[in-house]
Amino acid sequence: MKSNKNIRNNCEIGETPPRRSFLKTAAVGAAFAGAMLMGAGQAQAATTWKIQSVWDAGTVGYDLFEDWCNGMEDKSGGELIFKCFPAKAVAADSNSLFDSVRSGVLQGMNPFTLYWSGKIPASVFLSSYPGGPDQPHQWDTMFYSLGMLEKTREIYEKFGLFYVGPIQHDANIIHSKKPINSLDDLKGLKLRVPGGMVSEVFQAFGASTVSLPGSDIFPALEKGTIDAADYVGPAVNWELGFSQVTDYVMFGPPGVMSIYQPVDLMDLTVNLRAWKALDPKLQQLVEDEVRIYSQKHYLTIQKRNVEAMKKFKDAGDTVTRLSQEDLNEWRRKAIPIWYKWANKDESAREIFDMQVEYMMNDTVGYITESDLEGVPGR
């Protein structure tokens, strides 16, 4: 009755709408109402993922990640929303971040891949390591052209996770109170570095290593508790004030900023159930966007690095470089330690074997058969 009344009020006064007009008008009204309901249904059906980064709020890394997340709604036509959070906003530390994504409290995370070496041993070889592949394009080649992405996803699936893809970040470098002009200068050096494989290789050259949280590095250098410290790249290290407590910045040979962690990869990893629930078209969008974001993130950080190195030099810091011969010797000492870590886990060995084959290919040529002769665990 309400519909008839509305129709009648919209007709010319004194005329009764014929049945055909009535049915046509009713059909239009029903279609309009259906469209409105469909629109409301689509709005309600938009998928929202909560994703936490390991970048602190206010850093260039988090600003870049936040901008990327905020753009996902438009790029997906409103079907997928990324709600991002800085470090510690939902999950207080790395362990809880891992568990929060597995359980679905968070749908995704943007960590440094190496964080999971204790939970996923293969992750030691999913980011750069001493003497290994040291150029960003080499890692993209292994992931996207040589099957490492598919193998990584198989490994992560066992933990209820989906590894979307790597995100290029930067190299890690060392700031020192003393000049380091050769590997001999590492003897007796009190050095802050990550634990695990990196520490073991530095110890093989006589350094005394210690693991410290990032927030403890500056005071340790200032007090002289340590002689040198590794952290991330020049842009962030300048902001942390390392120039105030050190005089030297150690790089590898020209073109290699770091010989021990030259390609410190991040990634986007999501809850496996959340991934499988996503429309395949949206899955492809997310994968494509991760590759685009990886390039943008990397290039922005590199621009900041160039600017930061000028600031370091203007402040009186000196860049010291190890030689190509030093790098070759570093790799020779590292190779047995590679195999020690690769043999901790079957999946780690599978990833590592792919990388050895790549490094032995003449297009890379980092190692030869003679380099591997007699190596324990091979």
Side-chain angles (χ1 to χ4, degrees), residues 9 27 53 56 148 175 188 198 204 207 227 277 284 307 318 338-339 376:
N9 287 340
S53 178
D56 290 323
M148 200 163 78
H175 298 262
V198 174
D227 303 315
Q284 188 61 58
E307 297 166 351
T318 300
W338 293 352
Y339 279 91

Side-chain angles (χ1 to χ4, degrees), residues 13-61:
I13 297 173
E15 294 186 8
T16 302
R19 177 175 175 80
R20 183 173 294 176
S21 296
F22 170 79
L23 293 175
K24 182 177 180 181
T25 307
V28 171
F32 179 74
M36 293 295 289
L37 287 172
M38 186 180 295
Q42 286 177 339
Q44 292 172 356
T47 300
T48 299
W49 280 1
K50 298 188 293 292
I51 305 175
Q52 182 171 312
S53 178
V54 295
W55 288 115
D56 290 323
T59 61
V60 60

Side-chain angles (χ1 to χ4, degrees), residues 174 176 178-182 185-186 189 228 248 250 320-322:
I174 288 175
S176 177
K178 306 174 181 179
I180 305 172
N181 294 305
S182 71
D185 293 329
L186 294 175
L189 191 75
Y248 301 93
M250 187 194 89
T320 64
R321 287 194 177 276
L322 300 178

Side-chain angles (χ1 to χ4, degrees), residues 116-117 119-127 155 345 347-349 351:
W116 316 131
S117 58
K119 299 176 181 293
I120 305 177
S123 67
V124 170
F125 298 105
L126 296 177
S127 186
I155 295 167
D345 179 82
S347 296
R349 184 59 189 255
I351 294 287

Side-chain angles (χ1 to χ4, degrees), residues 30 43 58 62 78 88 106 117 124 139 177 194 196 211 226 233 253 255-256 260 262 295 297 319 326 340 342 348 358:
Y62 186 70
K88 303 179 182 179
L106 291 163
S117 58
V124 170
W139 287 88
K177 293 175 174 291
S211 179
I226 55 177
V256 180
Y260 67 97
Q295 182 184 53
H297 184 268
V319 172
D326 285 324
K340 173 185 173 182
Y358 180 52

